[in-house]
Amino acid sequence: MKIFNKLLKIKEEKGAGYFVLIDPDSFSIENVRKKVNKICNSGVDAILIGGSLLITDGYNEKVELIKKYSSIPIILFPGSASQIKKEFDAVLFLSLISSRNSELIIGKQVVSAPILRAMNMETISTAYMLIESGNVTTAEFMSNSKPIPANKPDIAVAHAIAAEMLGFKMVYLEAGSGASNPVSNEMISMVKKHVNIPIIVGGGITKPETAKQKAIAGADFIVTGNILEKKGNSYLMSKFADSIHK
Ligand code: 1GP
């Protein structure tokens, strides 16, 4: 079964799905097995791997080991085309539709599309929107683009409708890693009302109760990253999974 269909099934069966984002820079090769086992045993539905920057060595080896030890899908959340590897089960094929930077909307995708096709990699086209979140996030800085104002859900809605019309499979409402404020429930529910494609929500979600509220507002998949890097414990991950799943 295609990974996208698996994700749809998870959403149907559990109400909403839970993704954990891991940044390859945040752990050592020696810790991969333990880290992946913890994630897979805590009710997480898929592992997203990626980061705007890769600073430390060992990326290739880490991805190979994550694939070896993971019993759930591993999906690339790409910061750049150089992060593509055959070990991924699928790639979130992102287009930064909230920007007006053509390189990030279509340029990078044109460079990576033939590589992905040659690998026969599953691509999940995802309309990626940065939402203003109280501080300048890495994604905002690196993309040199203006996020959608947090108090203008109608702008996010218009982008999401355009994304659906353009044939994207998913929409990602991104407050940015380590955001002070996650995407508001109001914005999520307004986007949900206007489009039928699944909505991923991430950035600054640090409490299971917050994740639950995002799922109730209409998020189909919730992503947490930072909070688990800080507190990396299975208990917290299980709490997130329980709060997100119905
Ligand atoms: C970032 O949405 C993800 O791309 C996760 O954000 O690290 O703040 O959980 P956090």
Side-chain angles (χ1 to χ4, degrees):
M1 190 192 277
K2 289 246 184 207
I3 298 297
F4 182 62
N5 292 329
K6 273 193 190 166
L7 299 182
L8 293 182
K9 200 161 168 251
I10 288 165
K11 173 175 122 61
E12 201 183 302
E13 288 174 0
K14 301 184 179 177
Y18 179 35
F19 299 158
V20 163
L21 171 67
I22 56 178
D23 176 349
D25 276 339
S26 69
F27 54 92
S28 64
I29 289 175
E30 294 69 40
N31 286 333
V32 173
R33 185 178 192 160
K34 203 168 142 206
K35 189 174 181 81
V36 172
N37 284 342
K38 264 192 194 176
I39 295 172
C40 294
N41 293 327
S42 302
V44 177
D45 297 301
I47 300 175
L48 299 186
I49 300 168
S52 301
L53 289 169
L54 284 179
I55 296 168
T56 54
D57 284 341
Y59 174 73
N60 290 341
E61 202 178 340
K62 284 175 190 169
V63 174
E64 284 156 24
L65 289 172
I66 293 167
K67 175 66 186 164
K68 182 173 169 192
Y69 297 124
S70 180
S71 55
I72 58 177
I74 68 165
I75 301 174
L76 176 61
F77 177 57
S80 77
S82 64
Q83 295 170 8
I84 297 170
K85 281 184 59 65
K86 65 173 176 16
E87 282 77 16
F88 289 106
D89 297 307
V91 173
L92 284 189
F93 199 53
L94 304 175
S95 175
L96 185 60
I97 64 160
S98 59
S99 80
R100 297 297 178 266
N101 177 342
S102 58
E103 260 309 288
L104 300 178
I105 298 170
I106 185 63
K108 303 279 185 201
Q109 295 74 1
V110 169
V111 173
S112 41
I115 303 169
L116 293 163
R117 176 60 55 84
M119 280 179 177
N120 205 16
M121 178 67 68
E122 178 179 342
T123 49
I124 302 172
S125 60
T126 302
Y128 192 56
M129 291 185 220
L130 291 183
I131 313 296
E132 190 272 316
S133 62
N135 54 330
V136 178
T137 60
T138 307
E140 179 184 341
F141 182 81
M142 294 301 290
S143 64
N144 195 18
S145 72
K146 248 190 207 163
I148 293 173
N151 61 350
K152 304 272 184 201
D154 50 327
I155 299 181
V157 167
H159 279 75
I161 295 172
E164 185 171 59
M165 287 175 171
L166 285 164
F168 282 91
K169 286 188 174 150
M170 311 237 250
V171 166
Y172 194 137
L173 300 176
E174 171 71 277
S177 199
S180 305
N181 308 308
V183 178
S184 71
N185 299 338
E186 186 199 358
M187 184 179 278
I188 296 167
S189 62
M190 274 188 64
V191 170
K192 183 73 181 177
K193 252 183 232 147
H194 288 86
V195 296
N196 290 312
I197 52 177
I199 302 167
I200 308 173
V201 176
I205 299 173
T206 56
K207 293 191 183 109
E209 180 54 31
T210 310
K212 184 180 186 161
Q213 294 309 321
K214 305 295 165 208
I216 291 169
D220 298 293
F221 299 96
I222 308 272
V223 184
T224 65
N226 260 284
I227 189 67
L228 301 167
E229 306 290 358
K230 285 180 201 144
K231 298 193 177 170
N233 61 53
S234 312
Y235 177 74
L236 185 58
M237 261 187 283
S238 303
K239 280 273 173 210
F240 270 111
D242 289 348
S243 309
I244 290 164
H245 297 146
K246 71 180 172 197

